[in-house]
């Protein structure tokens, strides 16, 4: 009897000992289940991998099963290939005209050293064109036309071979006055300013057309009278009259004056006055070339 009790006690102590040996193997890990049969079984820990690219599932029922799945990496999107631009057709390059020479034909709109040299020659002879600047503008055209008229050439304001020859020959108007005076040549349509017997300015002019016109109900003829006169009246500014607006007029007989106008053609076109360019009229006033009492000869 005593041996049986002792054996039973031994078995009980062994069971208690076995239960104390089956505690969890790690905190937060898989747990083990044991059966008290005098033996113990423990489960192994599952292998863990980086949580960034695996998923772990565990099943515990005396054993632990681990399943690991790797997420696929997205493939790079191919970049589109740029289409090269189509070459543009190239045409012939514009050619630059050769520079003007002293023998070139020159006209309004041209420019360059040859124009400047031509302007300087005109200015030296007395053909007024303002300040020589190398640009063939309106005033240069007026000066060229005055030279052409004086030389008896075609009056187009274009500097061609015949005009060049007249310039090279030093062609100038013939004087019929002496001392200080202004002469108006009706045949050539050229106005010349003379001081102390010397030419100081030669200008293109346009005098009476010879046509009939009506002013304030009266029919008149556009004639510039011939004779020797003197400046008797002047208007320093726009001079508004029944036949239009005159610019800075210098009257020498009745209603006939030397005045500025926007159009000074190659032929007689006025109602009787002697037109010059507005710029030329400014020059006459600035240099006091037609003061009150100055002699004016129309022939």
């Amino acid at each position: 009897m005593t041996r049986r009790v002792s054996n039973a006690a031994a078995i009980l102590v062994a069971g208690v000992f076995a239960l104390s040996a089956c505690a969890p193997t790690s905190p937060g890990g898989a747990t083990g289940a044991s059966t008290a049969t005098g033996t113990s079984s423990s489960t192994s820990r599952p292998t863990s991998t980086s949580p960034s690219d695996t998923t772990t599932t565990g099943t515990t029922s005396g054993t632990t099963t681990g399943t690991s799945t790797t997420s696929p990496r997205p493939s790079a999107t191919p970049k589109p290939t740029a289409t090269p631009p189509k070459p543009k057709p190239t045409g012939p390059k514009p050619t630059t005209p050769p520079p003007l020479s002293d023998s070139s034909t020159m006209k309004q709109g041209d420019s360059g050293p040859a124009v400047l040299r031509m302007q300087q020659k005109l200015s030296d002879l007395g053909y007024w064109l303002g300040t020589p600047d190398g640009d063939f503008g309106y005033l240069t055209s007026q000066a060229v036309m005055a030279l052409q008229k004086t030389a008896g050439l075609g009056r187009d304001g274009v500097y061609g071979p015949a005009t060049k020859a007249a310039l090279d020959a030093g062609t100038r108007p013939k004087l019929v006055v002496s001392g200080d005076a202004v002469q108006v040549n009706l045949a050539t349509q050229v106005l010349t300013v003379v001081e102390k017997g010397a030419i100081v300015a030669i200008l293109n002019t346009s005098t009476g057309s010879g046509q009939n016109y009506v002013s304030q109900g009266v029919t008149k003829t556009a004639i510039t009278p011939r004779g020797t006169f003197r400046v008797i009246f002047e208007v320093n500014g726009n001079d508004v009259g029944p036949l239009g607006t005159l610019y800075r007029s210098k009257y020498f007989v009745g209603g006939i004056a030397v005045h500025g106008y926007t159009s000074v053609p190659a032929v007689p076109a006025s109602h009787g006055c002697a037109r010059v360019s507005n710029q030329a009229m400014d020059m006459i006033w600035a240099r006091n070339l037609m003061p009150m009492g100055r002699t004016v000869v129309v022939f």
Side-chain angles (χ1 to χ4, degrees):
M1 182 68 178
T2 303
R3 181 181 299 273
R4 291 178 180 175
V5 172
S6 298
N7 289 340
I11 291 172
L12 180 60
V13 170
V16 172
F17 180 81
L19 287 174
S20 65
C22 292
T25 57
S26 64
T31 57
S34 57
T35 304
T37 56
T39 62
S40 66
S41 67
S42 64
T43 60
S44 63
R45 297 180 183 178
T47 303
S48 63
T49 57
S50 172
S52 62
D53 58 0
T54 59
T55 302
T56 302
T57 59
T59 303
T60 304
S61 59
T63 61
T64 302
T65 303
T67 303
S68 174
T69 304
T70 302
S71 301
R73 295 179 181 272
S75 59
T77 303
K79 296 181 179 179
T81 303
T83 304
K86 294 181 180 180
K88 296 181 179 180
T90 57
K93 294 183 178 179
T95 57
T96 302
L100 296 170
S101 67
D102 292 338
S103 59
S104 298
T105 295
M106 305 179 208
K107 60 186 182 302
Q108 196 165 340
D110 288 337
S111 62
V115 173
L116 180 60
R117 289 190 292 270
M118 179 264 290
Q119 289 176 323
Q120 193 61 61
K121 287 183 177 181
L122 284 168
S123 184
D124 290 344
L125 284 178
Y127 293 94
W128 186 82
L129 48 77
T131 302
D133 58 4
D135 292 326
F136 197 130
Y138 175 69
L139 295 183
T140 301
S141 177
Q142 287 283 295
V144 169
M145 195 178 296
L147 171 62
Q148 291 171 333
K149 288 179 173 184
T150 302
L153 303 175
R155 308 167 176 187
D156 59 4
V158 176
Y159 182 80
T163 306
K164 179 181 183 303
L167 181 60
D168 291 342
T171 305
R172 304 174 84 191
K174 292 180 180 180
L175 295 182
V176 299
V177 298
S178 60
D180 299 337
V182 173
Q183 69 175 42
V184 180
N185 190 327
L186 297 179
T188 61
Q189 296 286 285
V190 173
L191 183 150
T192 307
V193 181
V194 179
E195 285 200 326
K196 297 180 181 179
I199 294 174
V200 296
I202 306 168
L203 303 171
N204 179 44
T205 191
S206 178
T207 59
S209 67
Q211 302 297 315
N212 292 335
Y213 66 94
V214 177
S215 175
Q216 297 177 320
V218 179
T219 300
K220 300 180 181 180
T221 303
I223 294 177
T224 304
R226 298 173 186 266
T228 300
F229 313 97
R230 294 185 182 275
V231 177
I232 57 175
F233 181 67
E234 61 187 14
V235 178
N236 187 10
N238 289 327
D239 183 11
V240 181
L243 297 176
T245 301
L246 315 181
Y247 182 65
R248 305 187 84 177
S249 308
K250 295 279 190 175
Y251 290 89
F252 56 88
V253 56
I256 306 300
V258 174
H259 65 81
Y261 204 67
T262 55
S263 172
V264 188
V267 297
S270 79
H271 293 101
C273 292
R275 297 179 186 176
V276 295
S277 68
N278 287 341
Q279 295 90 332
M281 206 65 211
D282 284 337
M283 179 271 296
I284 288 172
W285 275 83
R287 294 168 62 178
N288 197 30
L289 296 180
M290 288 187 70
M292 294 289 291
R294 179 61 52 94
T295 299
V296 179
V297 177
V298 181
F299 66 100

